[in-house]
Amino acid sequence: NPQKNKTFYEGFWDVFRQHFAKYTKRIKSFDLAFDVPVDMKSLFAISLTGRQKAYYKGTQYFGSSGNTGRLKIYDKKKELEQKQGVTILEDRTRIEYTVRLEEPIVFQWLCKADLTINEDYEVVYLNQEKLTGEIKSAVLAIHHDYMKMNEFTRTTKTKIKKALASMEKLDLDHAYRNAREKIMKSINSYLRQV
């Protein structure tokens, strides 16, 4: 009876919690990957939170390494062909979104966590036919890393965003929600093996 030996009872649970916590698997970070069956040049991404785009070895990066909300876009077809010698007939562009948590969480909390990517980034299928003149030049300059979005005037930035709004968007939040159950099963399976 715990009421008869309260000191032992409380001590037991303190020791149990300390040891149990050591064996509880916690998640500190993860990447969500989306493969899009188009050439990388057909996608145009901008940060809605002011993260600057950088290019390195053909990969587009938004945000700093090690930070939550980092977006990475690269040619997955090329990577598979070069690194694994796999021949792929169709185009494949990978979009990776990094989530880094301030405090590690257990798997059950991750299943309940809601996450949005569309608030941080807008990714569209680049339709050059919808662009004309100065805006077409500006969008292509940004797309090919000749200029940064912040180098344009406020008026030009507004026109660029308006032009992009008329193009077909990739709804990464919708893609994540549709694949969420499968993702959680995969993570849970991995955690059981570790």
Side-chain angles (χ1 to χ4, degrees), residues 37-86:
V38 298
D39 186 283
M40 188 174 152
K41 294 174 191 155
S42 300
L43 296 179
F44 183 88
I46 59 170
S47 170
L48 302 174
T49 59
R51 291 182 177 101
Q52 293 300 310
K53 183 188 328 189
Y55 280 88
Y56 181 71
K57 294 186 178 182
T59 300
Q60 295 177 36
Y61 295 92
F62 291 87
S64 303
S65 179
N67 289 337
T68 196
R70 183 176 204 208
L71 194 77
K72 191 167 119 175
I73 302 173
Y74 60 95
D75 188 338
K76 186 65 177 176
K77 174 184 176 180
K78 183 178 175 182
E79 180 193 61
L80 290 170
E81 290 174 345
Q82 289 177 347
K83 292 186 178 180
Q84 297 180 12
V86 177

